[in-house]
Amino acid sequence: MEPLLERVAQKLARRERLTREDAVALFRAPDLIGLGRLAGQVKRERWGDRAHFVINRQINPSNVCVLSCRFCDFATKRGRPNAYEMTIQEVLARCSPELREVHIVGGLHPDWPWTYYLEMFRAIHANFPQIQIKAWTAVEIDYFSKKFRLTVEQVLRQFQEVGLVALPGGGAEVFSERVRKALYPFKIGAPRWLDIHRTAHQLGIPTNSTLLYGHMETHEERVEHLFKLRELQDETGGFMSFIPLAYQPGRTQVVSRQAGATEDLRTIAIARLVLDNIPHIKAYWVTMGEEIASVALQFGADDLDGTIGEERIMHAADAASPISLTRARLAELIREAGCTPVERDALYRPMEPPEQTSEIPIVACRAES
Ligand code: V47
């Protein structure tokens, strides 16, 4: 084993935390397989050979957005040919009884009223009580708070009352003022994003976290991002998962090609080693592709997200992956990686698959505390 990996392995054995310097060095370590082995070992100590997935649906009620971030192909302006806005009935039409989770995020819409957002959740909850609602990035929560003159706490509490159970991790991009100024100058920065997640955690709303990588950020900026998440997690314990999102160049072309497979696997592995306090590391098959996401389960990841149904954000940027996967395909990707598929809910509680939707047997385990 190369000396750097040897040193990191010894630290892990002593339960010592990795430093920023360790993490930056790991991004440059030539022995990718050795790095993956270390991260895989840490994953197995925590989760054995289990790998999680969820039967879910992404719903993006509108792509009309008041912002125009340089890296985003999804957002547009009203009146453009690709602009769309869903009614609550159209949102409901995308829900179905076999779903465990809906993941709802969208553009910052210029003039939908507050009642639209609350009514949407009430309608989902009334018609599909078994579906858990994971919705709105911190960017949207900040927007609602300013637009409707509510505190972040009031926004979150009102959503909680109508069925919100978790916040997704989007909108974090990369916690660097340099990159923010260049790519998303009008979007909230790290302090506000972290503060909104802190408030959510204090209200008992668990959240996810993300990192957008493979554009103009440096390894040092990626590492700083991970450490900011680790610090907040030390304080609140409210993050369920971390999801590295590989930038899809699409038409924005901030860079001409997407990060390669080695970069994807390295980022997953380093996240598992640095984020020793975030239980789940998600290999998002939409951005990584199915095959690399499957391999990532041996590089520290323990989750593949879900069936998704209709992915629009990355596909607006020409992502090469399918827009949806079946339960059987997810289970296959997990088994091919030598892991055991475990169906979970939005809060990562394992559950038995409903009989009628199970296409192939999947090992089920009882809910853990
Ligand atoms: O915040 C936008 C990113 C995020 C592009 O919490 C892009 O379970 C790559 O956060 N290329 C939204 N990324 C998606 C997201 C997410 C996805 C899956 C699961 C969860 C979860 C959260 O997508 C945005 C932004 O960082 N994004 N455009 C692009 N061209």
Side-chain angles (χ1 to χ4, degrees), residues 60 62-65 67-77 80-84 106-108 173 183-184 187 212 215 246-258 287 311-320:
N60 310 114
S62 178
N63 59 353
V64 176
C65 187
L67 298 181
S68 305
C69 300
R70 232 190 96 197
F71 70 90
C72 179
D73 265 318
F74 171 72
T76 191
K77 301 295 171 198
R80 297 246 178 94
N82 62 336
Y84 71 88
L108 304 183
E173 320 316 359
L183 298 187
Y184 38 94
K187 191 177 269 193
L212 182 68
H215 41 89
Y247 165 65
Q248 311 290 300
R251 278 165 294 122
T252 62
Q253 293 280 310
V254 174
V255 288
S256 58
R257 63 178 282 272
Q258 161 173 0
T287 49
E311 203 290 323
R312 286 178 184 253
I313 298 176
M314 311 303 169
H315 286 85
D318 303 329

Side-chain angles (χ1 to χ4, degrees), residues 103 134 168-171 173 208 212 243 246-248 282 284 314 317:
H103 171 162
K134 177 184 82 180
E173 320 316 359
N208 291 337
L212 182 68
I243 310 137
Y247 165 65
Q248 311 290 300
K282 189 183 285 190
Y284 192 44
M314 311 303 169

Side-chain angles (χ1 to χ4, degrees), residues 254-272:
V254 174
V255 288
S256 58
R257 63 178 282 272
Q258 161 173 0
T262 54
E263 201 59 17
D264 293 337
L265 293 172
R266 199 176 281 283
T267 306
I268 286 279
I270 294 170
R272 171 60 77 189

Side-chain angles (χ1 to χ4, degrees), residues 252-311:
T252 62
Q253 293 280 310
V254 174
V255 288
S256 58
R257 63 178 282 272
Q258 161 173 0
T262 54
E263 201 59 17
D264 293 337
L265 293 172
R266 199 176 281 283
T267 306
I268 286 279
I270 294 170
R272 171 60 77 189
L273 296 177
V274 169
L275 299 176
D276 50 15
N277 52 1
I278 298 188
H280 301 285
I281 303 293
K282 189 183 285 190
Y284 192 44
W285 59 262
V286 174
T287 49
M288 298 174 111
E290 295 160 83
E291 303 295 345
I292 302 302
S294 176
V295 176
L297 297 175
Q298 287 295 339
F299 276 69
D302 69 290
D303 184 42
L304 284 188
D305 196 85
T307 47
I308 294 183
E310 183 185 21
E311 203 290 323

